[in-house]
Amino acid sequence: MRSLTFVIGTGRSGSTALSRILNAHPDVLSLNEFMASVGDAAFPEGKVTGEEFWQTLFRPAPHFERMIRSGLPLPEFLYTRRPGRYATETTGIPALSLMVLPHLTDDPDGLLDELQAVVVQWPEGTAAEHHQALYGLLCARFDRTAVVERSGYSTGWAPKLRATFPDARFVHMFRDGPDCALSMSRHPGYRTISLLREIKARAGVASFADLTEEHVRSLPADLSPLLEERFDPALVRDRDLPLRTFGTLWSELVTDGTEFLSRLPTDQRTTLAYEDLLDHPAAELTRLAEFIGVAPLPQWLLTASAQLDHSRRGSARRLSPPELDELTKTCAPGTRVLEAGPSR
């Protein structure tokens, strides 16, 4: 029986490296940034046809297209590094093509065509049924037996994933607070997230769907352009954003992830600390493999350990003492929650 596991967390926590490591296991289908790519659109209410479901996977993600168009692509965008027949300025890049399919194959366009030919023929079904069928199709294509989806900044999706896939297992991955928050502060995606959160806070809305033209007109001139189809990347790249903003974001995300995990049965949950992975790669990956339902193959463990980058550890300690002290304080609520959180 095929297993399904979701790795949730803050992002900037070594999780991209984990996707690469899992992808190297001959029994694991590693769905890299699948949820980040398709988002809520791929989980419609009720039943949809195969063609309708395919459109949720194929339709370009507007927020990512906007970033590419504005000259602010994320390092996670694999398709833009080796472009195929799709481009933001012409066709748009299909949601599945940006980060998911290039992680699995050197021919993402060909794989997209293969999937489309099958998926559009499917009869009506729920989102859960279509997703399970898609995972099965990919497992058969790559001869894999365990599915692991991993997206950065993914704790917000966890409750919906739990409701949609009640038998799924969950791994909460996290990293030292100050190190992770500092990494967020330097990443264009998290800088954009911080600014979009500020827009929602200023407008007093929970969702961008609730944003009116009046709200947009009331925004400062250095924020409102971020909602347009193309904006000056300097508005994100060069803005002075306080580190405490990212410490607060980290604390919020690890708190959400820990609280979610605490509500799961013990056999459906585990944690993975980036620092533990660096210190004890064979032991941690063995434990993870057994949790997701595959064998901890010796050659895989050896190869995986060599892929871990130890240079990122302790990066926050290179800040000035006042900066580090302030960042540590804003991360303290999240740190306390992790220390008191559910055990493995």
Side-chain angles (χ1 to χ4, degrees):
M1 183 177 176
R2 186 175 67 246
S3 67
L4 174 61
T5 304
F6 293 97
V7 179
I8 62 168
T10 63
R12 311 311 297 159
S13 58
S15 56
T16 299
L18 181 66
S19 277
R20 288 195 295 267
I21 287 168
L22 290 170
N23 197 40
H25 194 292
D27 295 323
V28 175
L29 177 73
S30 174
L31 294 180
N32 173 62
E33 304 281 8
F34 180 85
M35 283 305 302
S37 299
V38 303
D40 292 334
F43 290 85
E45 297 292 332
K47 292 189 174 185
V48 294
T49 66
E51 173 62 38
E52 290 168 331
F53 176 65
W54 177 253
Q55 287 305 316
T56 70
L57 308 176
F58 184 83
R59 194 178 299 119
H63 50 294
F64 290 150
E65 291 284 286
R66 191 178 299 121
M67 295 186 78
I68 296 169
R69 195 180 297 114
S70 302
L72 201 69
L74 302 187
E76 291 83 357
F77 293 170
L78 301 179
Y79 192 87
T80 54
R81 296 186 202 172
R82 296 179 60 185
R85 68 173 181 261
Y86 298 100
T88 294
E89 295 292 356
T90 53
T91 58
I93 299 172
L96 271 190
S97 298
L98 193 56
M99 297 180 281
V100 181
L101 300 187
H103 179 71
L104 297 173
T105 175
D106 290 333
D107 181 19
D109 288 351
L111 181 55
L112 188 75
D113 291 343
E114 284 182 44
L115 295 176
Q116 180 177 15
V118 176
V119 174
V120 296
Q121 302 297 323
W122 288 345
E124 278 194 339
T126 63
E129 290 168 341
H130 282 308
H131 280 277
Q132 290 283 20
L134 177 67
Y135 304 157
L137 183 61
L138 285 166
C139 278
R141 170 67 168 74
F142 291 99
D143 194 22
R144 307 296 170 103
T145 59
V147 180
V148 182
E149 193 282 335
R150 194 282 317 167
S151 292
Y153 193 63
S154 53
T155 54
W157 282 304
K160 174 171 283 190
L161 293 173
R162 167 71 173 156
T164 306
F165 308 107
D167 296 326
R169 305 164 195 180
F170 288 84
V171 180
H172 182 209
M173 187 173 188
F174 50 82
R175 178 186 179 191
D176 171 77
D179 283 356
C180 190
L182 179 61
S183 181
M184 287 176 174
S185 76
R186 296 168 173 172
H187 187 276
Y190 285 85
R191 293 176 68 82
T192 302
I193 286 167
S194 172
L195 295 169
L196 294 177
R197 281 163 60 94
E198 182 180 348
I199 288 173
K200 287 196 290 188
R202 283 176 177 268
V205 299
S207 166
F208 281 106
D210 300 324
L211 207 62
T212 66
E213 290 185 11
E214 186 177 344
H215 286 139
V216 175
R217 283 195 298 269
S218 70
L219 292 171
D222 60 354
L223 281 178
S224 56
L226 299 178
L227 300 172
E228 298 173 1
E229 287 304 302
R230 191 187 300 269
F231 57 83
D232 181 355
L235 291 173
V236 173
R237 190 182 56 231
D238 300 340
R239 188 185 302 249
D240 183 19
L241 295 173
L243 279 175
R244 64 177 177 273
T245 301
F246 299 95
T248 300
L249 176 60
W250 178 85
S251 281
E252 180 183 313
L253 294 174
V254 297
T255 297
D256 289 347
T258 301
E259 290 178 351
F260 168 77
L261 215 68
S262 70
R263 298 190 291 269
L264 300 181
T266 54
D267 63 343
Q268 287 182 256
R269 72 184 193 206
T270 193
T271 59
L272 180 62
Y274 177 60
E275 289 73 23
D276 289 345
L277 187 58
L278 292 180
D279 290 341
H280 312 288
E284 288 298 286
L285 290 172
T286 294
R287 185 176 64 83
L288 180 63
E290 292 171 348
F291 177 75
I292 64 179
V294 297
L297 304 173
Q299 185 57 47
W300 173 70
L301 293 174
L302 187 64
T303 305
S305 300
Q307 292 187 50
L308 295 168
D309 179 7
H310 292 256
S311 68
R312 300 173 60 197
R313 187 174 191 169
S315 55
R317 290 198 290 270
R318 293 190 279 273
L319 294 169
S320 69
E323 287 178 315
L324 178 57
D325 182 59
E326 182 182 37
L327 186 55
T328 301
K329 286 178 180 175
T330 56
C331 290
T335 301
R336 288 194 293 270
V337 166
L338 286 177
E339 290 171 349
S343 62
R344 292 169 177 170

